[in-house]
Amino acid sequence: MVEKEDLSGRDVLDVGCGFGWFEIFALSYGVRSIVGTDISDADLNTARAHIQSPSARFEVGSAVEMPFDDGSFDTVVCWEVLEHIPRGTEPQAFREIRRVLRPGGHLYLSTPHASWSARAFDPAWWLVGHRHYTTSNLRRLAEEAAFSIETIEVRGGGWLIASILDLYVAKWIFRRSPFFGDQINRRVDSELANPTGSAACFMKCRA
């Protein structure tokens, strides 16, 4: 989902980096530097243990209060994070991302879409109010933070939803990796290549 020119030779920030999967991808495209943040040192343990590149580092930081100077990055990515920050702090997160981006830099963001199917098959939506967003919600948040929206799409469908259910069951009930990860992921990749869907919103903005 990220253009190569927004990675190669660029300073990149990954907000809510988790295990560091995007860092591995970005390093393969020749980023000048990439910084992954997450909410605690414990959340960064896996990424720090397995990614040793001098071009990558990991820092504790919140999406709504980042420990970086203004204009520190060319590209910011934020994958499936917006729905996890405290409710009502989304505008602050967009302002913080805008602040740390250099003029002309790009934000790439994904988050669950507020379609009936994406919510109906999301156990966390039923149990804890896991947030889903419409493209109108995201457009408003981005424009209020002085972003120019370049693309906003809804992609993914049944296979993406199936991969999330597989993750939930494996992780929270059996405490293991997903049961059908490889088989489902190949189908998810194919599904996400289609610029229509119902499960997830993908947005690219320019600062």
Side-chain angles (χ1 to χ4, degrees):
M1 300 298 176
V2 182
E3 300 290 339
K4 293 178 182 178
E5 57 264 31
D6 289 323
L7 295 176
S8 181
R10 304 294 187 179
D11 296 314
V12 180
L13 171 65
D14 181 7
V15 179
C17 66
F19 293 156
W21 62 268
F22 183 77
E23 280 63 26
I24 295 171
F25 173 82
L27 287 166
S28 74
Y29 277 89
V31 293
R32 178 165 55 193
S33 70
I34 184 163
V35 180
T37 64
D38 223 308
I39 200 67
S40 73
D41 279 311
D43 291 306
L44 295 171
N45 283 343
T46 299
R48 285 173 170 162
H50 293 281
I51 299 172
Q52 305 297 326
S53 170
S55 297
R57 73 180 196 271
F58 299 93
E59 297 189 19
V60 172
S62 163
V64 298
E65 190 174 354
M66 298 187 194
F68 308 113
D69 294 335
D70 296 0
S72 294
F73 301 98
D74 300 299
T75 303
V76 175
V77 300
C78 185
W79 307 123
E80 306 299 303
V81 171
L82 191 67
E83 65 274 18
H84 296 289
I85 66 176
R87 187 180 298 273
T89 64
E90 295 95 335
Q92 177 62 19
F94 271 83
R95 288 193 295 270
E96 274 290 273
I97 292 170
R98 179 68 177 80
R99 179 184 67 78
V100 301
L101 269 171
R102 293 169 183 147
H106 283 105
L107 161 65
Y108 290 86
L109 178 144
S110 71
T111 195
H113 182 229
S115 66
W116 71 267
S117 56
R119 289 180 291 187
F121 291 100
D122 179 2
W125 182 75
W126 293 99
L127 296 172
V128 296
H130 189 226
R131 297 193 302 278
H132 291 234
Y133 299 85
T134 65
T135 55
S136 296
N137 294 150
L138 297 175
R139 184 177 297 276
R140 175 181 54 80
L141 288 165
E143 291 176 346
E144 287 177 354
F147 278 106
S148 172
I149 297 171
E150 295 193 354
T151 60
I152 184 166
E153 302 172 329
V154 179
R155 297 190 180 209
W159 286 112
L160 181 57
I161 291 170
S163 73
I164 294 168
L165 290 172
D166 185 31
L167 173 65
Y168 282 167
V169 171
K171 180 178 179 180
W172 297 114
I173 297 177
F174 293 96
R175 302 293 181 180
R176 52 157 288 166
S177 58
F179 292 96
F180 306 105
D182 289 342
Q183 300 94 316
I184 290 179
N185 285 340
R186 286 194 293 270
R187 291 171 171 82
V188 171
D189 287 345
S190 177
E191 196 175 66
L192 290 176
N194 186 340
T196 60
S198 61
C201 298
F202 293 87
M203 183 166 64
K204 177 186 178 182
C205 304
R206 180 183 290 272

